[in-house]
Amino acid sequence: MSLSIPQCEAYFVLKSNRLRSAKQSSSRRLSSRTLRVVACLQSSAGSRTDNAEPANDLIIRAAKGERVERTPVWLFRQAGRHLPEYTQYKKKTGKNFLELLKDPKDVAEVTLQPIRRYNVDAAILFSDILVIAEAMNIDIEMPGGRGILVPDPLRTPAALSRVPENVEIEKSLGHVLEAVKEINRQIEAEGLGVPLIGFSAAPWTLMYYMVGGSSKKNTHFGLQWLSDYPYESRDLLERLTSVVIDYLDAQIKAGVHIVQVFEAMGEHIDEENFVKYALPCLERIASELKARHPTVPLMVFARDAPYALPMLQDVAYDVMTVDTTFDGREARNILATSAGKAGLMPKQLQGNFDPALLQADNGSGQVEIESAVRKMLTLFGPQKYIANLGSGLVGTEDPSKVACFVDCVHNFSEEEVACA
């Protein structure tokens, strides 16, 4: 039964005032079901699994298409440069970004900084999209202000001799897996009660960096490889796909609750080549992970390639991400049409708030953020949806504006759900 307007208003005021305190108190209470699960794991595995079932499971339910009481929210690059505590921590440790990634304790600290500050519904592993490339004998550098650089990229197929066909994940990326465990230990110890998202770059994105050397220069090298060396390109993409699968599989076994695949360089591949080269890799990743971990939600982001949304739904991803170039309602319609042809229900969406509104010096304020959030929720709807950005934070955002965005998503979506 629908509530009257006065009832809606009273309900919203009451719930919005309680939202943050409710999160803090509920996240510290383990349900009897959680206790039974942990006890079972202790007795069967002989060791305790930390944060096995987070108290706040909003994002997990939304990713599976289940009904939620409010829309969950997290942010791409929510940990890191925009937070003053991150800058202070780097200064305290004397480490640069890549050095922080090597120490599980550092990774856990940086991962959890935004969870302590904001009312977000998930943590995401503090890492980098090129750790797989580094594990495959590709040197990575990050000089200040110049982005990620590969100083010795794969210029010709002869250089593929440097790239192994497989990677022993526990050996080459074991520090990442230990970081996952440490993050979950800290989440439970601090009573934060949120799930942990793991992630990897997609094979095309990895190949783009490995052959081009930079995100900002030599942008044509990736497509040139596909054109000049089609056989060798497939070989490299197959190797990368195998490693991505094993890496995400290992993250899930270590304790992540959801995985996100980033096809960050969708801008630098046309639709024909995406279908021919990138999509088969993404399909294989989804197929293998669903076979190994059928209950773990899979999220994907093909940035600047909105044409890929129905394709990614068709190959079994649970959540498709919409960037700032596309409209939420249109994305819903596209997924519904594609799924309807197969007699299926459409999957879930994620996105696509414009992070420019969160910049410290752009003149936007609470009114502009509130208006944009309401519009976004109207276009996407509060269900089967995870609120996020249309691209990642860049480091010059105002934390108070980020907090405003997060709280607006919760408050306004809860209002919509209550009044439906």
Side-chain angles (χ1 to χ4, degrees), residues 250-418:
Q251 288 186 42
I252 294 169
K253 289 176 179 176
V256 303
H257 305 88
I258 305 173
V259 294
Q260 170 83 52
V261 180
F262 285 107
E263 191 66 281
M265 292 296 133
E267 176 186 2
H268 299 295
I269 187 169
D270 59 275
E271 183 173 352
E272 180 181 354
N273 280 303
F274 181 90
V275 172
K276 186 176 180 180
Y277 290 100
L279 186 61
C281 301
L282 291 164
E283 180 174 13
R284 186 178 153 211
I285 291 167
S287 176
E288 285 284 342
L289 291 178
K290 282 295 183 185
R292 300 183 193 186
H293 308 282
T295 64
V296 174
L298 305 181
M299 305 193 295
V300 63
F301 187 8
R303 191 175 69 183
D304 296 310
Y307 58 79
L309 289 171
M311 305 177 195
L312 297 168
Q313 174 179 249
D314 292 346
V315 299
Y317 285 90
D318 299 295
V319 182
M320 275 53 65
T321 305
V322 182
D323 61 28
T324 54
T325 67
F326 215 56
D327 178 273
R329 182 174 288 127
E330 187 176 357
R332 285 277 189 213
N333 292 337
I334 288 173
L335 292 194
T337 299
S338 178
K341 292 177 180 178
L344 302 172
M345 294 295 291
K347 293 293 186 69
Q348 292 64 250
L349 287 171
Q350 176 174 250
N352 69 339
F353 192 84
D354 186 354
L357 290 173
L358 306 179
Q359 287 290 314
D361 58 358
N362 71 349
S364 68
Q366 181 176 342
V367 173
E368 290 80 9
I369 293 170
E370 288 179 350
S371 176
V373 169
R374 283 195 182 278
K375 181 179 179 180
M376 181 178 72
L377 287 168
T378 298
L379 293 172
F380 282 97
Q383 301 291 349
K384 300 185 71 170
Y385 170 55
I386 297 167
N388 203 322
L389 306 176
S391 61
L393 299 175
V394 298
T396 52
E397 292 80 12
D398 181 343
S400 68
K401 293 183 181 182
V402 175
C404 178
F405 162 68
V406 170
D407 291 340
C408 283
V409 168
H410 281 150
N411 292 340
F412 298 160
S413 66
E414 191 167 78
E415 178 185 17
E416 288 190 23
V417 171

